């Protein structure tokens, strides 16, 4: 089969040469052999049974009609086919097809299209294709049904091939054709050609076409184009609003997704399930608990909705509010595998591994079968609690017990499990055992364990593996530089820093976000932009000196090794999470939890600092880093200092 690019090579030419004449279907007609005295009665009975949706009797009447050479009109057959679909009556559907093609009867294009649609809905694509191939005349409905069918099962090449053939036959695409073909477009070049095609045939303003364009531009990470398509619409409806909000949320632009949601409400539109699911995803990505709680109020307006409840559950777990997550989970009348998996992963990520494993046992007892994602959550729980034997049991038995083949994510969890436990050789052996090629994330997992357990030789080997796969990974360069510095290998330190300069690689600055009064405040090391930064720094200095009075000593192992003395201590003092914690103490009431999101893994010194502050100030401090969540309370962390 030719590649997609080859199939679309002449797309622009095909679109340009399309005929603008509309397609006129042949009028419908009833058929019966003249002179048959029972024709009228039999036909009337058949029509009545079809409209009554009495499938068994309608099929008997149809068989009698066939024996007498009597045929009904296409509308009646379409009612019978609807009845077959409603009852998932595949064999009866085939009999209808056989009947309308018997005795030399030539079914109209209308009924053939319905038969194609029937086979598609029965997931019998080969039979749908056979009907399509035998059609003497095909219209836009015929082509669109097949294009949509192949698109829905992920056969994008076949869908694109049919689209090009349709254009070559001079059949004008409609809004449904473009909606289907756009959603399987997997390249920006082809997408732009199709976008031009919608303009050529005057469908660029159609709601469904616009929605599909926004979805696909978003999927291809072309958010600027998606927003342009959205803004060009003078009149927007809920479908298009949902597309732009969903596209932004999926591409981690939660701020803009929430802005568009506010615009949508100001424009007078009421959010539906799709809107709220996307908004919750935006809140989840930004860890905006208070905004998420406001969305929860909107969710309550709907009857029990599993999709929305699962999205809410995910939002609460990833915002570090396990109290809300547990409360929602317990109240859910219906739970599916996504509900259970989300809660298990949420407990594990928040440091409550034993609870996660107990919930896994309850899930199995409920009769819900674990899936690929469930096992990732279970292995993550074992990894972050140091449960090596349990983790290895689940990993080695997942295929036998649940029919799930281990994937890269499962291997990554077990490598992390072994690495944290200091079993670096076993972790290395597991990497070599992987059926799939280890990626940069897999090697980075082992590299982190090498740093913790100070295995310099293996760390250097693994770091080079990471940089081979991801030459722009600033964190690995910095970590490798620090490993060399700890070993007094200063020439190697110099070489690493030279490579970074030549490639323009800089260490990503640590950034922390905190939500106060529904506004997000961001802090970075040495921040001077925040309007209250001077007050924050002053309060931070006071807090650090107060903590030093009870034994706190900044741990300089967590700064770059080429900083010295006082400068090293100072850089620790102003880590972004420390600034965010102090701002939270200043801005939130004494009973409120301080919730912080961070872009980098929390360092050991800030971890100690947060524990001491939580104890001294009698506060709950929750810090979410890219890997897990730390709940600091009464001088301890939910991770048990095992992270």
């Amino acid at each position: 089969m030719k590649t997609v690019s080859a199939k679309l090579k002449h797309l622009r030419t095909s679109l340009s040469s399309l005929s603008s004449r509309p397609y006129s279907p042949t009028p419908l007609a009833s058929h019966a052999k003249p002179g048959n005295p029972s024709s009228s009665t039999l036909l009337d009975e058949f029509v009545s049974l079809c409209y009554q949706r009495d499938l068994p009797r309608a099929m008997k009447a149809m068989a009698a009609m066939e024996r007498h050479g009597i045929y009904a009109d296409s509308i009646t057959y379409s009612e019978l086919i609807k009845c077959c679909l409603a009852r998932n009556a595949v064999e009866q559907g085939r009999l209808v097809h056989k009947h309308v093609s018997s005795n030399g009867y030539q079914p109209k294009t209308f009924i053939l299209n319905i038969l194609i649609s029937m086979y598609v809905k029965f997931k019998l694509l080969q039979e749908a294709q056979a009907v399509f191939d035998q059609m003497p005349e095909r219209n836009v409905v015929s082509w669109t049904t097949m294009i949509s069918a192949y698109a829905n099962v992920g056969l994008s090449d076949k869908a694109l091939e049919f689209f090009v053939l349709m254009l070559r036959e001079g059949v004008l695409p409609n809004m449904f054709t473009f909606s289907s073909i756009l959603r399987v477009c997997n390249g920006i070049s082809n997408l732009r050609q199709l976008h031009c095609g919608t303009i050529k045939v005057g469908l660029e303003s159609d709601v469904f076409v616009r929605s599909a364009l926004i979805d696909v531009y978003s999927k291809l990470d072309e958010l600027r184009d998606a927003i342009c398509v959205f803004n060009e619409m003078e009149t927007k409806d809920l479908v298009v609003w949902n597309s732009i909000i969903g596209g932004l949320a999926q591409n981690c632009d939660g701020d803009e997704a929430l802005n568009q949601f506010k615009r949508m409400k100001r424009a007078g539109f009421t959010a539906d399930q799709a809107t709220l699911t996307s908004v919750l995803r935006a809140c989840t990505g930004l860890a905006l608990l208070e905004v998420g709680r406001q969305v929860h109020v909107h969710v309550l307006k709907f009857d029990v909705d599993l999709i929305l409840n699962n999205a809410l559950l995910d939002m609460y777990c990833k915002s570090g509010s396990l109290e809300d997550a547990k409360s929602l989970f317990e109240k859910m009348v219906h739970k599916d595998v996504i509900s259970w998996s989300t809660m298990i992963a949420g407990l594990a990520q928040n440091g409550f591994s034993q609870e996660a494993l107990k919930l896994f046992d309850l899930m199995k007892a409920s009769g819900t079968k674990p899936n690929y994602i469930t096992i990732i959550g279970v292995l993550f729980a074992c990894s972050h609690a140091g449960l090596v034997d349990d983790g290895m049991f689940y990993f080695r038995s997942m295929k036998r017990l649940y029919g799930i083949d281990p994937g890269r994510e499962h291997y990554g969890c077990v490598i992390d499990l072994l690495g944290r436990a200091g079993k670096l050789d076993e972790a290395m052996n597991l990497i070599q055992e992987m059926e799939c090629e280890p990626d940069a994330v897999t090697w980075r997992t082992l590299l982190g364990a090498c740093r913790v357990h100070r295995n310099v030789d293996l760390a250097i080997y693994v770091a080079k593996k990471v940089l081979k796969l991801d030459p722009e990974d600033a964190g690995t360069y910095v970590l490798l530089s620090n490993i060399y510095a700890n070993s007094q290998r200063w020439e190697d330190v110099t070489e690493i820093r030279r490579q970074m300069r030549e490639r323009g690689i800089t260490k990503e600055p640590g950034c922390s976000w905190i939500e106060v009064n529904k506004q997000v405040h961001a802090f970075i090391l040495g921040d001077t932009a925040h309007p209250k930064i001077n007050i924050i720094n002053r309060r931070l200095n006071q807090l650090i000196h107060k903590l030093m009075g009870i034994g706190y000593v900044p741990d300089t192992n967590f700064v770059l090794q080429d900083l010295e003395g006082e400068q090293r201590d100072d850089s620790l003092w102003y880590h972004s999470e420390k600034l965010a914690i102090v701002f939270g103490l200043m801005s939130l009431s004494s009973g409120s939890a301080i919730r912080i999101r961070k872009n980098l893994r929390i360092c050991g010194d800030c971890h100690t600092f947060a524990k001491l502050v939580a104890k001294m100030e009698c506060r709950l401090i929750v810090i979410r880093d890219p890997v897990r969540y730390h709940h600091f309370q009464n001088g301890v962390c939910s991770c048990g200092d095992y992270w």
Side-chain angles (χ1 to χ4, degrees):
M1 182 180 287
K2 297 180 180 178
T3 64
V4 175
S5 297
K7 288 168 189 164
L8 289 177
K9 184 177 179 181
H10 302 297
L11 177 57
R12 187 175 290 119
T13 304
S14 300
L15 284 166
S16 299
S17 63
L18 280 176
S19 170
S20 60
R21 58 184 173 84
Y23 176 80
S24 299
T26 304
L28 299 173
S30 298
H31 293 261
K33 284 185 177 180
N36 193 326
S38 62
S39 296
S40 178
T41 304
L42 193 54
L43 186 59
D44 289 344
E45 180 187 6
F46 175 68
V47 171
S48 177
L49 291 170
C50 288
Y51 279 93
Q52 291 171 15
R53 300 292 175 93
D54 188 339
L55 183 60
R57 293 175 66 197
M59 295 302 296
K60 288 180 181 178
M62 185 184 76
M65 286 169 54
E66 188 170 329
R67 287 193 298 272
H68 290 84
I70 302 168
Y71 293 88
D73 61 89
S74 295
I75 299 296
T76 303
Y77 288 124
S78 73
E79 290 298 318
L80 182 56
I81 291 171
K82 287 178 189 176
C83 190
C84 293
L85 286 168
R87 290 164 174 73
N88 197 32
V90 178
E91 289 309 314
Q92 287 84 344
R94 287 190 173 116
L95 287 174
V96 176
H97 180 194
K98 180 181 177 184
H99 167 72
V100 299
S101 305
S102 63
N103 298 325
Y105 178 73
Q106 295 295 325
K108 302 294 183 184
T109 301
F110 171 81
I111 194 63
L112 290 174
N113 284 340
I114 290 176
L115 285 168
I116 293 173
S117 179
M118 178 193 75
Y119 283 126
V120 167
K121 289 173 181 175
F122 282 144
K123 299 182 180 179
L124 299 170
L125 277 185
Q126 287 187 340
E127 293 183 51
Q129 177 76 64
V131 176
F132 180 86
D133 289 341
Q134 293 166 12
M135 291 179 73
E137 187 174 355
R138 307 180 186 107
N139 61 14
V140 64
V141 176
S142 322
W143 286 101
T144 300
T145 303
M146 292 305 301
I147 289 168
S148 177
Y150 284 118
N152 288 338
V153 297
L155 296 174
S156 55
D157 284 11
K158 193 72 175 175
L160 287 165
E161 178 186 10
F162 265 58
F163 184 70
V164 173
L165 291 172
M166 172 185 178
L167 297 178
R168 288 177 180 169
E169 284 203 8
V171 179
L172 192 67
N174 63 18
M175 69 286 290
F176 302 112
T177 322
F178 275 112
S179 296
S180 297
I181 199 64
L182 281 167
R183 295 186 195 280
V184 297
C185 190
N186 53 12
I188 191 62
S189 166
N190 292 341
L191 175 57
R192 294 199 195 286
Q193 287 187 57
L194 289 169
H195 191 171
C196 290
T198 67
I199 297 170
K200 178 72 178 176
V201 297
L203 289 172
E204 73 278 10
S205 296
D206 179 80
V207 168
F208 295 103
V209 173
R210 286 272 179 172
S211 177
L213 283 168
I214 292 168
D215 289 344
V216 183
Y217 276 123
S218 300
K219 183 182 74 174
L220 297 178
D221 203 20
E222 299 287 341
L223 283 183
R224 184 176 298 178
D225 289 312
I227 292 171
C228 282
V229 172
F230 176 77
N231 289 335
E232 284 172 1
M233 289 197 73
E234 294 182 7
T235 304
K236 303 174 177 67
D237 75 348
L238 188 59
V239 173
V240 181
W241 280 108
N242 284 344
S243 291
I244 195 64
I245 293 169
L248 291 164
Q250 288 169 7
N251 282 274
C252 303
D253 195 347
D255 285 328
E256 186 58 28
L258 293 176
N259 287 336
Q260 294 292 354
F261 177 54
K262 292 173 187 175
R263 284 184 60 200
M264 186 194 96
K265 289 200 296 181
R266 284 196 296 268
F269 289 92
T270 302
D272 65 3
Q273 181 205 65
T275 322
L276 295 176
T277 303
S278 296
V279 172
L280 284 169
R281 177 177 291 183
C283 293
T284 301
L286 297 170
L288 294 177
L289 179 59
E290 293 309 314
V291 177
R293 282 177 173 150
Q294 284 187 308
V295 178
H296 192 165
V297 175
H298 290 283
V299 172
L300 295 176
K301 298 173 184 176
F302 290 82
D303 291 331
V304 177
D305 189 298
L306 186 58
I307 293 174
L308 281 175
N309 277 337
N310 285 341
L312 269 173
L313 193 62
D314 190 43
M315 185 274 297
Y316 281 130
C317 286
K318 289 181 178 172
S319 296
S321 182
L322 283 187
E323 300 83 3
D324 289 313
K326 289 177 182 177
S327 174
L328 175 64
F329 185 77
E330 289 169 2
K331 291 176 183 175
M332 288 174 66
V333 178
H334 304 291
K335 301 181 181 77
D336 63 1
V337 66
I338 297 173
S339 318
W340 289 98
S341 301
T342 300
M343 196 67 221
I344 290 168
L347 287 165
Q349 286 180 317
N350 281 276
F352 301 96
S353 294
Q354 294 292 354
E355 284 189 53
L357 295 178
K358 288 178 183 176
L359 191 64
F360 180 55
D361 289 335
L362 287 175
M363 174 186 177
K364 291 184 289 183
S366 76
T368 306
K369 185 179 178 181
N371 66 7
Y372 188 98
I373 302 299
T374 316
I375 304 301
I376 292 175
V378 170
L379 294 175
F380 190 94
C382 294
S383 168
H384 285 265
L387 304 173
V388 177
D389 291 340
D390 289 338
M392 292 306 299
F393 168 76
Y394 288 123
F395 178 70
R396 294 301 184 191
S397 61
M398 57 187 286
K399 174 65 175 176
R400 175 173 55 85
L401 294 179
Y402 312 115
I404 301 169
D405 291 310
R408 186 175 278 119
E409 295 88 351
H410 301 111
Y411 278 102
C413 287
V414 179
I415 290 163
D416 188 44
L417 169 70
L418 295 170
R420 288 172 187 275
K423 300 177 180 292
L424 300 180
D425 289 340
E426 291 182 39
M428 188 67 196
N429 290 337
L430 189 62
I431 288 179
Q432 294 171 343
E433 173 190 315
M434 290 175 65
E435 293 184 9
C436 49
E437 195 68 25
D439 60 2
V441 175
T442 306
W443 287 112
R444 266 195 292 267
T445 301
L446 182 56
L447 179 60
C450 293
R451 179 190 62 79
V452 171
H453 296 288
R454 301 183 184 278
N455 188 324
V456 176
D457 292 336
L458 184 57
I460 292 170
Y461 171 79
V462 173
K464 289 179 178 177
K465 288 283 189 181
V466 174
L467 294 176
K468 184 177 180 181
L469 293 167
D470 186 2
E472 306 298 314
D473 184 4
T476 298
Y477 281 107
V478 172
L479 183 56
L480 188 55
S481 173
N482 284 355
I483 290 170
Y484 284 139
N486 280 326
S487 305
Q488 307 293 308
R489 294 171 57 171
W490 301 112
E491 289 184 3
D492 290 320
V493 172
T494 303
E495 174 60 21
I496 288 292
R497 296 304 173 87
R498 183 191 64 77
Q499 291 179 22
M500 291 180 71
R501 283 194 303 272
E502 287 182 354
R503 297 180 182 182
I505 297 171
T506 56
K507 182 178 182 292
E508 181 183 6
C511 186
S512 295
W513 296 266
I514 182 170
E515 182 185 5
V516 175
N517 296 326
K518 301 172 190 173
Q519 287 190 325
V520 178
H521 298 256
F523 296 92
I524 60 172
L525 176 66
D527 190 8
T528 59
H530 196 279
K532 293 187 177 181
I533 194 61
N534 292 331
I535 301 173
I536 294 168
N537 285 334
R538 191 159 57 246
R539 290 284 296 274
L540 177 57
N541 290 335
Q542 293 169 358
L543 184 58
I544 288 176
H545 283 107
K546 192 175 177 182
L547 292 175
M548 284 179 168
I550 59 173
Y552 169 65
V553 178
D555 188 345
T556 56
N557 286 321
F558 299 100
V559 294
L560 295 180
Q561 299 297 320
D562 53 358
L563 298 179
E564 296 183 358
E566 205 172 290
Q567 187 183 1
R568 291 175 63 179
D569 291 341
D570 285 349
S571 71
L572 280 172
W573 281 32
Y574 301 108
H575 275 190
S576 63
E577 53 265 61
K578 290 188 175 77
L579 296 172
I581 288 172
V582 171
F583 182 68
L585 290 171
M586 291 167 46
S587 308
L588 298 169
S589 61
S590 58
S592 301
I594 296 172
R595 301 180 188 276
I596 295 165
R597 181 168 62 96
K598 182 172 166 53
N599 66 329
L600 301 178
R601 181 178 180 272
I602 187 172
C603 77
D605 179 70
C606 289
H607 196 269
T608 301
F609 175 85
K611 286 196 297 182
L612 293 173
V613 172
K615 183 177 182 179
M616 178 184 290
E617 300 292 330
C618 299
R619 299 292 282 268
L620 168 63
I621 300 173
V622 181
I623 298 181
R624 167 188 172 182
D625 69 18
V627 178
R628 66 179 304 165
Y629 305 73
H630 301 265
H631 294 245
F632 302 95
Q633 197 166 25
N634 300 322
V636 296
C637 179
S638 59
C639 73
D641 297 339
Y642 191 79
W643 91 103

